[in-house]
Amino acid sequence: LEKNLIKVMPWIVSSDTPLLIAAKINTQVEFDRAFRTIVKANGYKGKRLIYISGLHIDISPQEDMLFPLTKFIPWAAYIQYEDGTHKTMEQDELFELLDAQSVDNPDEIDMEDAIGIMEHVKEVKVVV
């Protein structure tokens, strides 16, 4: 983290929102590092994949809330196809692509139902 931010520290500390600026810069640096690793790694060759990087923000709960609000802000994406072609998407293009997706999910599950089922399943003991 320090290595990612040290060169831009004057910009960060003079910002009105230093934590947000630092998080955005770190997100960009980590995206660059991760996608370059994917491109070079033999294990990903010939595979279809998408890597989406973003900023996860926790918003402190108000008095009447049990949990914090969370927001995920997509930053960039690396898309690789089986034939080896690939592309990188910046935030605006990524937002457009994600916004164009259907909100219907045929594989959607009800988490309350899933948890209810797990509560009644015989416990599996794990011995270490």
Side-chain angles (χ1 to χ4, degrees):
L1 184 60
E2 290 171 357
K3 185 178 177 184
N4 291 350
L5 300 178
I6 193 69
K7 291 181 183 178
V8 291
M9 197 53 71
W11 182 39
I12 293 169
V13 297
S14 63
S15 167
D16 291 339
T17 56
L19 294 176
L20 181 60
I21 295 298
K24 288 169 64 175
I25 292 167
N26 192 60
T27 299
Q28 182 63 48
V29 171
E30 288 300 316
F31 173 78
D32 289 343
R33 181 195 56 76
F35 108 83
R36 291 177 198 288
T37 299
I38 291 168
V39 169
K40 293 177 185 175
N42 288 331
Y44 295 109
K45 302 254 188 270
K47 304 262 168 96
R48 190 172 124 191
L49 68 89
I50 182 169
Y51 169 67
I52 299 178
S53 174
L55 188 58
H56 185 100
I57 300 173
D58 290 331
I59 301 169
S60 296
Q62 297 178 16
E63 281 187 36
D64 60 339
M65 298 170 64
L66 294 175
F67 298 101
L69 295 172
T70 59
K71 300 289 180 183
F72 179 77
I73 312 301
W75 186 261
Y78 171 75
I79 300 171
Q80 177 178 288
Y81 303 94
E82 291 171 334
D83 66 3
T85 59
H86 55 86
K87 70 178 184 175
T88 302
M89 300 176 85
E90 297 295 332
Q91 190 176 50
D92 290 341
E93 186 181 9
L94 180 55
F95 269 131
E96 286 179 27
L97 178 70
L98 293 172
D99 193 44
Q101 302 307 304
S102 171
V103 295
D104 295 324
N105 180 356
D107 299 315
E108 180 178 12
I109 63 168
D110 184 312
M111 293 301 292
E112 295 295 329
D113 289 346
I115 291 169
I117 292 169
M118 291 186 324
E119 288 176 338
H120 297 94
V121 172
K122 183 179 176 187
E123 181 180 357
V124 175
K125 302 273 184 181
V126 178
V127 179
V128 183

